[in-house]
Amino acid sequence: MRTFVDSVTHWDRVFLNTIFSLNGKRLISAVMPWISHSGNGYYYPAIPLIFYFIEPRIAGAFFLCALLAFALELPLYKILKQKIKRHRPCEVLSGVHQRISPSDRFSFPSGHTAAAFVIATLIAHFFPILTVPVSIWAMLVGVSRIYLGVHYPTDIIAGLVIGILCAFAGIMILG
């Protein structure tokens, strides 16, 4: 009888192989590194500035919620990575190679996905009209990490959950 972890690992590999088999599609190969890069966090400080010009009253609250959410998300994701120490799929699965250099050694959870969902959740909260595009963007960040060979699907799911929970914590704590 298969254990829960074996079952999850099996489905991780099935989904990873399906996504990784998209190799060779020029548009996907060109776009995925850019999408992944958009989740690096370099652009996140610009978001409150942009909101300041659109809606100054909301920009300050957004900024404070983002600071608190990231103050929760960053240590949580780093602690989990160091405790779980899951090797990246490109290191352990034949036929899967990394298409980018990962920023750290381990894969679980996806920090890019967690950060993307912190930002997407906060933007959706403060600017509900942007919910669909920012949600699609955050999911694409996660999918790009799988496509690039540096994460399993469950790494992405964990990042999604961490990001959303930390964003909601920031919103709830700061009101």
Side-chain angles (χ1 to χ4, degrees), residues 50-95:
I50 293 167
F51 289 163
Y52 179 76
F53 292 109
I54 296 170
E55 188 62 53
R57 295 173 302 152
I58 294 175
F62 177 89
F63 178 72
L64 291 175
C65 284
L67 279 179
L68 180 56
F70 279 113
L72 298 169
E73 179 267 333
L74 284 167
L76 179 59
Y77 120 83
K78 287 184 182 266
I79 289 167
L80 286 171
K81 276 208 189 235
Q82 291 307 308
K83 290 285 183 194
I84 295 170
K85 295 184 178 181
R86 184 181 199 184
H87 293 285
R88 295 188 180 275
C90 57
E91 296 172 352
V92 297
L93 297 178
S94 62

Side-chain angles (χ1 to χ4, degrees), residues 10-168:
H10 169 76
W11 286 110
D12 258 346
R13 288 179 177 171
V14 167
F15 289 125
L16 183 73
N17 287 330
T18 300
I19 290 172
F20 210 78
S21 70
L22 297 172
N23 188 22
K25 309 290 190 251
R26 283 189 199 161
L27 180 60
I28 292 172
S29 293
V31 169
M32 287 299 184
W34 181 85
I35 292 170
S36 176
H37 182 73
S38 74
N40 282 356
Y42 301 124
Y43 310 110
Y44 297 162
I47 295 171
L49 288 173
I50 293 167
F51 289 163
Y52 179 76
F53 292 109
I54 296 170
E55 188 62 53
R57 295 173 302 152
I58 294 175
F62 177 89
F63 178 72
L64 291 175
C65 284
L67 279 179
L68 180 56
F70 279 113
L72 298 169
E73 179 267 333
L74 284 167
L76 179 59
Y77 120 83
K78 287 184 182 266
I79 289 167
L80 286 171
K81 276 208 189 235
Q82 291 307 308
K83 290 285 183 194
I84 295 170
K85 295 184 178 181
R86 184 181 199 184
H87 293 285
R88 295 188 180 275
C90 57
E91 296 172 352
V92 297
L93 297 178
S94 62
V96 175
H97 60 278
Q98 68 185 38
R99 295 178 171 133
I100 60 167
S101 294
S103 57
D104 55 31
R105 184 166 176 209
F106 300 113
S107 74
F108 186 90
S110 169
H112 280 75
T113 305
F117 273 95
V118 165
I119 289 295
T121 303
L122 292 174
I123 291 172
H125 175 75
F126 286 98
F127 296 92
I129 194 165
L130 297 175
T131 299
V132 172
V134 295
S135 298
I136 291 170
W137 166 76
M139 281 305 303
L140 285 173
V141 168
V143 169
S144 75
R145 304 298 288 169
I146 298 168
Y147 177 82
L148 296 170
V150 294
H151 283 290
Y152 293 96
T154 49
D155 300 342
I156 304 310
I157 293 167
L160 176 150
V161 170
I162 290 167
I164 291 172
L165 290 177
C166 289
F168 278 130

